[in-house]
Amino acid sequence: MDFALSDEQEALAEAERAWLTKNDPIAARRPAIDSGPARTTPEGVQHVAESGLIGLLTEDMGGTHVDLAVLVEEHGRAGSALPVAELAVATRLLAQLGHEAFDAAESGAELVLPALGSLENSALHAQLDGTTLHLSGTTAPTTGLIEAHSILLVAITDTGTEVAAVLPVDTVTVRTLETLDLTRSWSVAEMDVLLDEGNWSVLQPGTVAFLHDELATFRALDALGAAARLVDVTVEYAGQRTQFDKPIASFQAIKHHCANMALSVEASRAALWAAAVALDGDDTDARTRAVSAAAAFTCEGASATAQTALQVHGGIGFTWEHDVHLLIRRIKVDELLDGSVSYHRRRLVSA
């Protein structure tokens, strides 16, 4: 596939990186890092709303998954707590459903996040009894859920019907998880609710699988962004750190480490661009292969890059004050959620 970002997409990424540099999420997180889970800021929500990023995937905005991909990579690189991809994915589906919550979601007045069952051993159950929908169990972990006004729950019922419902957070129990990730909050929604006709919608077959593919792609893109930053800070550190009166970057072993890290990041980026293009296409089988190949390759590579970055940094990389451990923690969580590496490999084999 012959593909390259357009000038507009490169400018979009540069503008987002500039905003994130000015409003450094990790620097803002540092003072309260021991006080509880990371939270989004009003300024951050205002930024993504006024920039049109929340409604990027809607028909009116005309954005693509590749557009969103370059943004998500930048937020992963910066260690941002803003769930940009999740907000955009939920808003797109609300627009398709013609749901009354769309306007508030697109404007950022209310945060609506998607919630699905886990890809493996799902604990979320949906049952239809006539026109009544019974939702029970626990969703997969979702980032930013502690600040959401509503969740857009998407599930497959016991009869195979795909359904969606917008649930205010006060109708479910939001349980915040303790994870390795200190730059984002992760929570699950626990519920046992009955919804009458008119309070839930029937989805087109394949919608749930498409949402899972979207979230898996953007989770891997987040890991890619963090890994790309680790490459940059590792190369910079290797050029400054001296041993035997020489920069350690002059040692062949360190050169090989940095080259392998850079190669992994560039190859992962190409795979994820292909996945994003597939999400914008109509070939379901090609999308399945592209997404799972990219997610498995990227998340494993990002984890290896993180470990190598720690090794090159040596003792300083283990310190609480250094950003290396924050990015490693973020990557490790990305590696496990929205389909593990082993899950996507099995899916790829059977695709």
Side-chain angles (χ1 to χ4, degrees):
M1 178 178 64
D2 186 10
F3 174 81
L5 294 181
S6 66
D7 292 340
E8 290 79 6
Q9 288 164 338
E10 291 181 350
L12 182 65
E14 290 172 4
E16 196 66 8
R17 181 179 294 192
W19 186 88
L20 288 163
T21 301
K22 181 180 178 181
N23 302 271
D24 188 349
I26 290 182
R29 172 68 176 140
R30 282 285 185 181
I33 202 166
D34 295 317
S35 303
R39 293 181 175 272
T40 60
T41 62
E43 295 79 13
V45 175
Q46 181 181 7
H47 164 70
V48 294
E50 293 180 350
S51 301
L53 305 187
I54 296 179
L56 183 64
L57 297 179
T58 61
E59 187 174 342
D60 288 343
M61 285 291 293
T64 68
H65 287 87
V66 178
D67 297 332
L68 187 55
V70 300
L71 295 168
V72 173
E73 181 181 342
E74 292 301 329
H75 278 262
R77 179 186 183 89
S80 168
L82 278 168
V84 178
E86 288 80 358
L87 291 170
V89 166
T91 304
R92 174 189 60 79
L93 186 54
L94 288 173
Q96 291 177 349
L97 294 173
H99 199 280
E100 61 183 7
F102 168 74
D103 289 336
E106 185 185 34
S107 67
E110 295 187 0
L111 299 184
V112 181
L113 295 172
L116 298 88
S118 298
L119 282 167
E120 301 178 89
N121 303 317
S122 176
L124 180 64
H125 308 288
Q127 295 176 309
L128 278 175
D129 183 6
T131 59
T132 301
L133 176 64
H134 181 203
L135 298 170
S136 61
T138 306
T139 66
T142 301
T143 184
L145 196 56
I146 57 174
E147 293 166 299
H149 296 84
S150 303
I151 62 172
L152 176 56
L153 189 75
V154 179
I156 301 177
T157 69
D158 53 344
T159 62
T161 303
E162 300 187 20
V163 296
V166 176
L167 303 176
V169 291
D170 57 8
T171 64
V172 301
T173 300
V174 175
R175 178 165 55 88
T176 302
L177 306 175
E178 291 187 11
T179 71
L180 282 173
D181 190 358
L182 298 177
T183 57
R184 294 169 292 186
S185 66
W186 290 95
S187 308
V188 295
E190 299 171 338
M191 67 199 70
D192 188 2
V193 297
L194 294 173
L195 300 177
D196 295 328
E197 187 178 12
N199 293 319
W200 56 276
S201 305
V202 176
L203 300 172
Q204 291 292 326
T207 300
V208 174
F210 184 79
L211 284 171
H212 276 302
D213 281 346
E214 283 184 304
L215 294 176
T217 299
F218 293 124
R219 186 67 51 241
L221 277 157
D222 184 272
L224 170 66
R229 181 172 178 178
L230 283 173
V231 172
D232 290 346
V233 299
T234 301
V235 170
E236 181 181 7
Y237 177 78
Q240 297 171 347
R241 175 75 165 88
T242 59
Q243 188 71 31
F244 308 114
D245 296 324
K246 295 181 179 180
I248 64 172
S250 65
F251 302 152
Q252 189 176 52
I254 301 298
K255 291 180 181 179
H256 287 173
H257 278 323
C258 292
N260 288 336
M261 293 165 66
L263 177 62
S264 175
V265 165
E266 289 301 322
S268 296
R269 185 176 289 120
L272 284 167
W273 283 352
V277 169
L279 286 170
D280 289 322
D282 298 321
D283 190 331
T284 302
D285 292 337
R287 186 193 78 218
T288 297
R289 292 191 297 269
V291 169
S292 282
F297 182 81
T298 300
C299 288
E300 182 180 49
S303 183
T305 295
Q307 293 301 322
T308 305
L310 184 63
Q311 182 177 354
V312 173
H313 274 82
I316 194 173
F318 287 87
T319 61
W320 188 256
E321 293 76 13
H322 206 286
D323 290 345
V324 166
H325 79 97
L326 295 175
L327 296 169
I328 291 175
R329 288 165 177 266
R330 189 177 179 108
I331 287 170
K332 283 297 185 181
V333 171
D334 283 335
E335 185 183 12
L336 294 174
L337 297 181
D338 294 303
S340 63
V341 171
S342 61
Y343 168 83
H344 284 292
R345 282 175 173 165
R346 295 195 304 271
R347 185 171 181 245
L348 185 59
V349 168
S350 61

